[in-house]
PDB file of all heavy atoms in Angstrom:
ATOM      1  N   LEU J 105     -25.777  10.501  -6.186  1.00 84.00           N
ATOM      2  CA  LEU J 105     -24.345  10.667  -5.942  1.00 84.00           C
ATOM      3  C   LEU J 105     -23.640  11.226  -7.172  1.00 84.00           C
ATOM      4  O   LEU J 105     -22.748  12.068  -7.066  1.00 84.00           O
ATOM      5  CB  LEU J 105     -23.730   9.320  -5.544  1.00 84.00           C
ATOM      6  CG  LEU J 105     -24.110   8.777  -4.159  1.00 84.00           C
ATOM      7  CD1 LEU J 105     -23.528   7.384  -3.970  1.00 84.00           C
ATOM      8  CD2 LEU J 105     -23.623   9.708  -3.065  1.00 84.00           C
ATOM      9  N   PHE J 106     -24.051  10.758  -8.355  1.00 82.00           N
ATOM     10  CA  PHE J 106     -23.438  11.230  -9.601  1.00 82.00           C
ATOM     11  C   PHE J 106     -23.628  12.735  -9.764  1.00 82.00           C
ATOM     12  O   PHE J 106     -22.686  13.472 -10.081  1.00 82.00           O
ATOM     13  CB  PHE J 106     -24.047  10.475 -10.788  1.00 82.00           C
ATOM     14  CG  PHE J 106     -23.422  10.805 -12.111  1.00 82.00           C
ATOM     15  CD1 PHE J 106     -22.331  10.095 -12.567  1.00 82.00           C
ATOM     16  CD2 PHE J 106     -23.929  11.825 -12.906  1.00 82.00           C
ATOM     17  CE1 PHE J 106     -21.751  10.391 -13.792  1.00 82.00           C
ATOM     18  CE2 PHE J 106     -23.362  12.140 -14.114  1.00 82.00           C
ATOM     19  CZ  PHE J 106     -22.268  11.414 -14.565  1.00 82.00           C
ATOM     20  N   MET J 107     -24.848  13.213  -9.537  1.00 81.00           N
ATOM     21  CA  MET J 107     -25.120  14.630  -9.692  1.00 81.00           C
ATOM     22  C   MET J 107     -24.429  15.460  -8.620  1.00 81.00           C
ATOM     23  O   MET J 107     -23.987  16.587  -8.886  1.00 81.00           O
ATOM     24  CB  MET J 107     -26.632  14.883  -9.659  1.00 81.00           C
ATOM     25  CG  MET J 107     -27.396  14.213 -10.804  1.00 81.00           C
ATOM     26  SD  MET J 107     -26.727  14.633 -12.428  1.00 81.00           S
ATOM     27  CE  MET J 107     -26.985  16.404 -12.453  1.00 81.00           C
ATOM     28  N   LYS J 108     -24.322  14.926  -7.394  1.00 81.00           N
ATOM     29  CA  LYS J 108     -23.621  15.650  -6.342  1.00 81.00           C
ATOM     30  C   LYS J 108     -22.142  15.815  -6.679  1.00 81.00           C
ATOM     31  O   LYS J 108     -21.552  16.884  -6.483  1.00 81.00           O
ATOM     32  CB  LYS J 108     -23.779  14.912  -5.006  1.00 81.00           C
ATOM     33  CG  LYS J 108     -25.165  15.031  -4.390  1.00 81.00           C
ATOM     34  CD  LYS J 108     -25.472  16.468  -4.002  1.00 81.00           C
ATOM     35  CE  LYS J 108     -26.829  16.577  -3.333  1.00 81.00           C
ATOM     36  NZ  LYS J 108     -27.154  17.978  -2.956  1.00 81.00           N
ATOM     37  N   ILE J 109     -21.538  14.737  -7.185  1.00 79.00           N
ATOM     38  CA  ILE J 109     -20.116  14.814  -7.561  1.00 79.00           C
ATOM     39  C   ILE J 109     -19.928  15.759  -8.740  1.00 79.00           C
ATOM     40  O   ILE J 109     -19.005  16.580  -8.767  1.00 79.00           O
ATOM     41  CB  ILE J 109     -19.580  13.407  -7.889  1.00 79.00           C
ATOM     42  CG1 ILE J 109     -19.601  12.527  -6.633  1.00 79.00           C
ATOM     43  CG2 ILE J 109     -18.162  13.484  -8.442  1.00 79.00           C
ATOM     44  CD1 ILE J 109     -19.209  11.092  -6.900  1.00 79.00           C
ATOM     45  N   ALA J 110     -20.815  15.654  -9.737  1.00 75.00           N
ATOM     46  CA  ALA J 110     -20.692  16.498 -10.932  1.00 75.00           C
ATOM     47  C   ALA J 110     -20.912  17.974 -10.613  1.00 75.00           C
ATOM     48  O   ALA J 110     -20.421  18.840 -11.343  1.00 75.00           O
ATOM     49  CB  ALA J 110     -21.692  16.047 -11.991  1.00 75.00           C
ATOM     50  N   GLY J 111     -21.617  18.268  -9.523  1.00 75.00           N
ATOM     51  CA  GLY J 111     -21.905  19.658  -9.185  1.00 75.00           C
ATOM     52  C   GLY J 111     -20.920  20.291  -8.224  1.00 75.00           C
ATOM     53  O   GLY J 111     -21.188  21.375  -7.710  1.00 75.00           O
ATOM     54  N   LEU J 112     -19.782  19.634  -7.959  1.00 74.00           N
ATOM     55  CA  LEU J 112     -18.788  20.225  -7.079  1.00 74.00           C
ATOM     56  C   LEU J 112     -18.279  21.543  -7.653  1.00 74.00           C
ATOM     57  O   LEU J 112     -17.963  21.630  -8.845  1.00 74.00           O
ATOM     58  CB  LEU J 112     -17.622  19.252  -6.870  1.00 74.00           C
ATOM     59  CG  LEU J 112     -17.950  17.976  -6.079  1.00 74.00           C
ATOM     60  CD1 LEU J 112     -16.750  17.048  -6.040  1.00 74.00           C
ATOM     61  CD2 LEU J 112     -18.402  18.329  -4.660  1.00 74.00           C
ATOM     62  N   PRO J 113     -18.178  22.592  -6.835  1.00 74.00           N
ATOM     63  CA  PRO J 113     -17.857  23.935  -7.361  1.00 74.00           C
ATOM     64  C   PRO J 113     -16.524  24.013  -8.089  1.00 74.00           C
ATOM     65  O   PRO J 113     -16.418  24.686  -9.111  1.00 74.00           O
ATOM     66  CB  PRO J 113     -17.850  24.809  -6.099  1.00 74.00           C
ATOM     67  CG  PRO J 113     -18.662  24.058  -5.104  1.00 74.00           C
ATOM     68  CD  PRO J 113     -18.440  22.612  -5.395  1.00 74.00           C
ATOM     69  N   PHE J 114     -15.504  23.320  -7.613  1.00 69.00           N
ATOM     70  CA  PHE J 114     -14.182  23.470  -8.217  1.00 69.00           C
ATOM     71  C   PHE J 114     -14.030  22.696  -9.524  1.00 69.00           C
ATOM     72  O   PHE J 114     -12.969  22.726 -10.132  1.00 69.00           O
ATOM     73  CB  PHE J 114     -13.092  23.022  -7.224  1.00 69.00           C
ATOM     74  CG  PHE J 114     -13.281  21.620  -6.701  1.00 69.00           C
ATOM     75  CD1 PHE J 114     -12.784  20.522  -7.381  1.00 69.00           C
ATOM     76  CD2 PHE J 114     -13.967  21.423  -5.511  1.00 69.00           C
ATOM     77  CE1 PHE J 114     -12.958  19.251  -6.885  1.00 69.00           C
ATOM     78  CE2 PHE J 114     -14.147  20.141  -5.014  1.00 69.00           C
ATOM     79  CZ  PHE J 114     -13.640  19.057  -5.694  1.00 69.00           C
ATOM     80  N   LEU J 115     -15.090  21.998  -9.960  1.00 67.00           N
ATOM     81  CA  LEU J 115     -15.022  21.264 -11.222  1.00 67.00           C
ATOM     82  C   LEU J 115     -16.006  21.783 -12.259  1.00 67.00           C
ATOM     83  O   LEU J 115     -16.071  21.240 -13.367  1.00 67.00           O
ATOM     84  CB  LEU J 115     -15.296  19.765 -10.980  1.00 67.00           C
ATOM     85  CG  LEU J 115     -14.263  19.021 -10.128  1.00 67.00           C
ATOM     86  CD1 LEU J 115     -14.730  17.597  -9.871  1.00 67.00           C
ATOM     87  CD2 LEU J 115     -12.912  19.004 -10.826  1.00 67.00           C
ATOM     88  N   VAL J 116     -16.771  22.797 -11.908  1.00 64.00           N
ATOM     89  CA  VAL J 116     -17.804  23.288 -12.821  1.00 64.00           C
ATOM     90  C   VAL J 116     -17.194  23.837 -14.106  1.00 64.00           C
ATOM     91  O   VAL J 116     -17.786  23.764 -15.182  1.00 64.00           O
ATOM     92  CB  VAL J 116     -18.661  24.368 -12.115  1.00 64.00           C
ATOM     93  CG1 VAL J 116     -19.657  24.985 -13.074  1.00 64.00           C
ATOM     94  CG2 VAL J 116     -19.383  23.759 -10.925  1.00 64.00           C
ATOM     95  N   GLY J 117     -15.992  24.381 -14.026  1.00 65.00           N
ATOM     96  CA  GLY J 117     -15.372  24.993 -15.205  1.00 65.00           C
ATOM     97  C   GLY J 117     -14.920  24.004 -16.262  1.00 65.00           C
ATOM     98  O   GLY J 117     -14.610  24.411 -17.391  1.00 65.00           O
ATOM     99  N   LEU J 118     -14.872  22.723 -15.936  1.00 65.00           N
ATOM    100  CA  LEU J 118     -14.438  21.732 -16.925  1.00 65.00           C
ATOM    101  C   LEU J 118     -15.549  21.504 -17.944  1.00 65.00           C
ATOM    102  O   LEU J 118     -16.698  21.244 -17.590  1.00 65.00           O
ATOM    103  CB  LEU J 118     -14.091  20.416 -16.235  1.00 65.00           C
ATOM    104  CG  LEU J 118     -12.875  20.451 -15.299  1.00 65.00           C
ATOM    105  CD1 LEU J 118     -12.676  19.102 -14.628  1.00 65.00           C
ATOM    106  CD2 LEU J 118     -11.620  20.834 -16.080  1.00 65.00           C
ATOM    107  N   SER J 119     -15.175  21.600 -19.216  1.00 66.00           N
ATOM    108  CA  SER J 119     -16.149  21.416 -20.295  1.00 66.00           C
ATOM    109  C   SER J 119     -15.926  20.080 -20.978  1.00 66.00           C
ATOM    110  O   SER J 119     -15.085  19.278 -20.565  1.00 66.00           O
ATOM    111  CB  SER J 119     -16.030  22.560 -21.305  1.00 66.00           C
ATOM    112  OG  SER J 119     -14.707  22.606 -21.833  1.00 66.00           O
ATOM    113  N   SER J 120     -16.659  19.865 -22.049  1.00 66.00           N
ATOM    114  CA  SER J 120     -16.550  18.611 -22.781  1.00 66.00           C
ATOM    115  C   SER J 120     -15.226  18.533 -23.532  1.00 66.00           C
ATOM    116  O   SER J 120     -14.615  19.545 -23.887  1.00 66.00           O
ATOM    117  CB  SER J 120     -17.717  18.476 -23.762  1.00 66.00           C
ATOM    118  OG  SER J 120     -18.960  18.541 -23.076  1.00 66.00           O
ATOM    119  N   PHE J 121     -14.791  17.290 -23.783  1.00 64.00           N
ATOM    120  CA  PHE J 121     -13.566  17.046 -24.530  1.00 64.00           C
ATOM    121  C   PHE J 121     -13.923  16.337 -25.829  1.00 64.00           C
ATOM    122  O   PHE J 121     -14.680  15.361 -25.827  1.00 64.00           O
ATOM    123  CB  PHE J 121     -12.586  16.200 -23.710  1.00 64.00           C
ATOM    124  CG  PHE J 121     -11.924  16.953 -22.595  1.00 64.00           C
ATOM    125  CD1 PHE J 121     -12.560  17.110 -21.368  1.00 64.00           C
ATOM    126  CD2 PHE J 121     -10.668  17.515 -22.780  1.00 64.00           C
ATOM    127  CE1 PHE J 121     -11.955  17.806 -20.341  1.00 64.00           C
ATOM    128  CE2 PHE J 121     -10.051  18.214 -21.753  1.00 64.00           C
ATOM    129  CZ  PHE J 121     -10.696  18.358 -20.530  1.00 64.00           C
ATOM    130  N   ALA J 122     -13.370  16.852 -26.926  1.00 62.00           N
ATOM    131  CA  ALA J 122     -13.638  16.266 -28.240  1.00 62.00           C
ATOM    132  C   ALA J 122     -12.346  15.662 -28.784  1.00 62.00           C
ATOM    133  O   ALA J 122     -11.261  16.250 -28.676  1.00 62.00           O
ATOM    134  CB  ALA J 122     -14.172  17.318 -29.202  1.00 62.00           C
TER     135      ALA J 122
END
Side-chain angles (χ1 to χ4, degrees):
L105 290 175
F106 184 89
M107 297 307 298
K108 287 295 182 180
I109 295 175
L112 292 175
F114 55 87
L115 295 175
V116 175
L118 294 177
S119 58
S120 302
F121 286 84

